[in-house]
Every structure is written in C-alpha cells, then in structure tokens.
Amino acid sequence: MLLLDKIKNKFRLKYRKKRWPGLINAYKQHLPVSSKTPIITLNEGNTPLILSESLSKLIGNGTSVYLKYDGLNPTGSFKDRGMTMAISKAKEEGSEAVICASTGNTSAAAAAYASRGGLKSYVLIPDGFVAQGKLAQALMYGAEIISIKGNFDRALEIVRELSSKYPIDLVNSVNPYRIQGQKTAAFEIIDDLGKSPDWLCIPMGNAGNITAYWLGFNEYKKLKKNLKLPLMMGFQSEGSAPLVKNIVVKNPETIATAIRIGNPVNREKAKIVKKESKGDFQSVTDEEIIYAYKILANEGVFCEPASAASVAGLIKNKNRIQKESTIVCVLTGNGLKDPDCAIKNNDAIFRKNIEPSLKDISTILGY
Ligand code: AN7
C-alpha cells in the first residue's frame, strides 16, 4: 500500500462512526431495561431519513418532505423496533415461547428475534392475505405458522385468549414493550432534524405505531426545551378504515394487506393521540396508495403498499399544508415484502421473449 493510501485509510477509520449497537443500547436510558436484561438485537434502528425531492416539489410552498425509511430494518419493517424490546423482556422474564397474530410483518420480526434469542415462536396468519416476502421470512426464521381461515382480527382474538391461558408471551402491540421499542423512531427523527416535524404522516392498522411515535415525541419534549410537537396524521385504507369511521369493520379489504385490520386494539390510545396532537385520521383509496407507491419508487424508494398510504394521505392534504412546513412520512415496510403487488402495479416497459441478437436489441433501444 502506498503511504498516502495508508494515511487516508487511518483517517477514514478514525472518523468513521462507531458501529451502531441497536436501538436498546443506543437509547437505553429511555427504555425499561436494566443490566439484567439480555439484549436480543439485530442492530435494528438508525434508519435513514431521506429528503424526497419529488414530494417536496409536488407539495410546493417551500415544504420539505422527509421519508423515515423503516423498511431498512433487519427484517424489513418497523416491527423490529418493538420486537427487540418484547423478546428481550420475554427472555428476561424466563419465557420460552412467544405468540402473535399477524398480517405478516409482526410474524417475520417475532420469528427472527425469537430465534435469535433461543425462544420458540408461534404465529397465526390470515390464510391467503400475507404478502409472499413476509411468509418466506416467517418460514425461514423458524416460526411455527398457523394459517387460519379467518382474518387478522379473529387471529388476534385467539392469540389473546391463548396467551392468557397458557405460558406463552403475546408479542402483538398490546404488549407494552413493543410500544417502548417503537417510540425510538421518534427520537431518531428529532436527533436527525434537530427539531420535530410539523406533521407526521403514518399508516394505521392496530394503531400501535402512531401511539409509539406520540409517546416518543412527548418524552423528548420533556427533555428538550422549546421542542414543538407534530400534528399526527394517521391514514387507513378506504376499505379498512375503522379508526376513520369510528366503527368496527367486519370484513376489511385493501390492497395494503399489512393494514387489513377491522378492529384495532389500540383504538382508544389512537383517539387520544389525534386529540392531543390536533391531528386527523383520514382514509385513502387503493388507487391513491398505488399512485403514491409509484411516485416513491420513481425516486428510488421502494416501500410496501401499506407504507405508501402515509404518502397518499400527504398528497391528499396538499392544500392544507402551511408554507415551509417540515413533514415526515413514515415508510413502515420494505417494498420487497410484497413482490406480487409490485409486479402487478407498475408502469415499466418490460419486453419479453426477445431474441438475444445485438441487432434486434439495438433496434428496440432506438439505435
Ligand atoms: C408495513 O404485521 O399489524 O398501526 O401484524 O406491517 O402499528 O398496527 C402490521 C402493521 C403499517 C400498521 N405498516 O401499524 C402485523 C401488522 C406496515 C405494517 C402497519 C403495519 P400499526
């Protein structure tokens, strides 16, 4: 190695940030853990806050739109934030097995962290309504999967009952440690921006995540003087909007299977978030979700349809946004989770069955 290269290398190593230790270690003082807690981590958290040029332009008026890309967590969704806490605490309490109902992402995260911690995991999923990537993960990470002829809401009723009767820990968002872990996303946003956003746009299913963000913003406000709190804007799919309509939806339907939930467990908490933050809950159609999904992908950010609901909601409120606002849209899951949706809903030019001929392909390219 040349001397110059050696010097450069030394410099780079010196100024490279320390290895991210995972969110429990990073935010220990804000979390219910002690020196006795075995920390089960995959170094989750520390996800990028990406400035979206196209959305900032689309909203206009000097608005900056950022994307909290939580699809870059180890299992590809924000669920890892809650699961590192839930599984660490389950392990600390001597639990040997965990159970959850899931539209897919919770099952992937539960299975991964349980295996990492040496615990058994059982997951109940609605048959036929879990995206392929998520199913593949649960299978690979080593969960025992029970696919029921019923929807998520029914699956949740069953696991709640089972966990109250038998020695199995429930790791759905009724587990308070899940919310504790997930609140760290709000800390990261404030740490990155140096302030709270004016609006936080977020998809809602069981409304655990919106509850967690609100908790995180409020906890940081106690520590940092002059910190303002954001308006919490929660979005659901039109065919699956129990919180928007304030009803129980018996047969929820949406392309965004992650949020195909008709009776959210955190309903009362979500109502408080909306009231306290002076925010709003609104619904978006599947068409609006796909439109937002494509805009994001066109800028290089691939999220799953449920996550795009936050951006669809933002676009819907274009005329309500005050000038020079800072807005964060939470992208809860990675686009790779649901390849079927992407393959069915894109505007790509995809030419098939082409002869491997230089001449033919040159012609196709227009040369
Ligand atoms: C990508 O995995 O409920 O409002 O079982 O996977 O906290 O429920 C997933 C929910 C948003 C909604 N975005 O979050 C499950 C599950 C994605 C999700 C939500 C989910 P919450």
Side-chain angles (χ1 to χ4, degrees):
M1 211 191 283
L2 286 170
L3 184 64
L4 188 65
D5 286 339
K6 272 190 188 160
I7 293 168
K8 274 189 192 163
N9 210 19
K10 214 169 163 186
F11 187 81
R12 194 171 59 236
L13 288 176
K14 188 170 170 198
Y15 288 96
R16 210 194 92 169
K17 273 193 183 166
K18 266 190 163 172
R19 193 171 75 100
W20 174 258
L23 62 84
I24 297 182
N25 280 313
Y27 291 109
K28 223 174 209 163
Q29 71 273 33
H30 303 288
L31 294 168
V33 290
S34 71
S35 56
K36 290 194 197 77
T37 313
I39 298 173
I40 311 302
T41 180
L42 291 162
N43 305 76
E44 58 297 307
N46 195 27
T47 56
L49 190 66
I50 305 169
L51 176 66
S52 169
E53 306 274 355
S54 63
L55 289 168
S56 300
K57 210 168 138 201
L58 195 149
I59 302 300
N61 248 333
T63 298
S64 302
V65 180
Y66 291 89
L67 308 167
K68 180 63 173 164
Y69 194 18
D70 246 6
L72 285 188
N73 275 299
T75 80
S77 87
F78 74 99
K79 302 286 182 184
D80 294 348
R81 295 183 181 275
M83 215 51 82
T84 183
M85 272 300 303
I87 300 292
S88 297
K89 294 304 281 189
K91 181 110 180 146
E92 181 178 353
E93 287 153 17
S95 174
E96 286 172 5
V98 297
I99 194 165
C100 66
S102 180
T103 57
N105 281 326
T106 301
S107 69
Y113 284 82
S115 291
R116 179 100 172 153
L119 275 70
K120 170 92 196 149
S121 63
Y122 299 98
V123 305
L124 261 72
I125 57 170
D127 195 21
F129 290 93
V130 169
Q132 284 288 309
K134 304 174 189 179
L135 188 60
Q137 289 179 294
L139 291 163
M140 286 303 295
Y141 293 140
E144 186 165 332
I145 304 160
I146 298 155
S147 185
I148 65 159
K149 293 184 240 167
N151 63 22
F152 169 84
D153 301 292
R154 181 68 194 124
L156 188 60
E157 282 169 11
I158 294 169
V159 296
R160 289 184 91 167
E161 185 105 18
L162 288 170
S163 65
S164 71
K165 277 193 182 151
Y166 306 111
I168 321 175
D169 264 19
L170 184 63
V171 293
N172 279 103
S173 61
V174 277
N175 179 322
Y177 298 121
R178 283 273 313 276
I179 306 296
Q180 287 293 321
Q182 285 172 214
K183 76 183 179 187
T184 59
F187 297 165
E188 288 178 16
I189 290 173
I190 295 172
D191 287 344
D192 279 351
L193 289 177
K195 61 175 183 180
S196 300
D198 297 302
W199 282 26
L200 186 93
C201 298
I202 185 167
M204 295 186 298
N206 269 310
N209 213 23
I210 194 168
T211 304
Y213 269 89
W214 188 238
L215 181 65
F217 287 128
N218 277 281
E219 286 189 7
Y220 252 30
K221 185 178 161 59
K222 281 196 198 125
L223 302 172
K224 295 178 195 280
K225 276 186 207 143
N226 304 325
L227 189 75
K228 285 210 295 197
L229 291 168
L231 254 71
M232 301 293 281
M233 301 293 289
F235 299 102
Q236 299 197 292
S237 297
E238 183 69 44
S240 177
L243 295 171
V244 178
K245 298 178 181 164
N246 204 14
I247 53 167
V248 172
V249 178
K250 277 251 159 62
N251 296 304
E253 279 308 340
T254 168
I255 194 165
T257 52
I259 51 172
R260 190 176 173 271
I261 294 170
N263 190 16
V265 286
N266 299 299
R267 184 188 291 271
E268 295 310 315
K269 288 182 187 142
K271 278 187 190 166
I272 295 170
V273 172
K274 180 171 122 179
K275 193 163 170 233
E276 285 184 356
S277 77
K278 302 184 176 63
D280 203 2
F281 294 168
Q282 298 172 7
S283 63
V284 288
T285 64
D286 282 2
E287 290 72 30
E288 288 167 329
I289 287 175
I290 294 301
Y291 177 71
Y293 179 66
K294 290 178 184 174
I295 290 185
L296 287 162
N298 250 307
E299 203 180 345
V301 181
F302 189 23
C303 68
E304 63 174 287
S307 309
S310 65
V311 172
L314 165 70
I315 295 170
K316 239 187 151 123
N317 286 279
K318 182 177 186 302
N319 297 327
R320 257 185 74 183
I321 296 161
Q322 292 190 347
K323 66 173 187 218
E324 281 161 29
S325 293
T326 299
I327 295 179
V328 172
C329 294
V330 182
L331 301 185
T332 45
N334 198 300
L336 294 169
K337 292 270 191 176
D338 194 348
D340 295 335
C341 181
I343 287 163
K344 284 188 200 133
N345 297 282
N346 64 78
D347 303 322
I349 299 166
F350 183 12
R351 302 184 204 276
K352 293 180 190 170
N353 296 319
I354 306 296
E355 287 302 323
S357 133
L358 192 62
K359 188 167 163 289
D360 289 5
I361 295 171
S362 303
T363 310
I364 288 170
L365 298 182
Y367 295 110

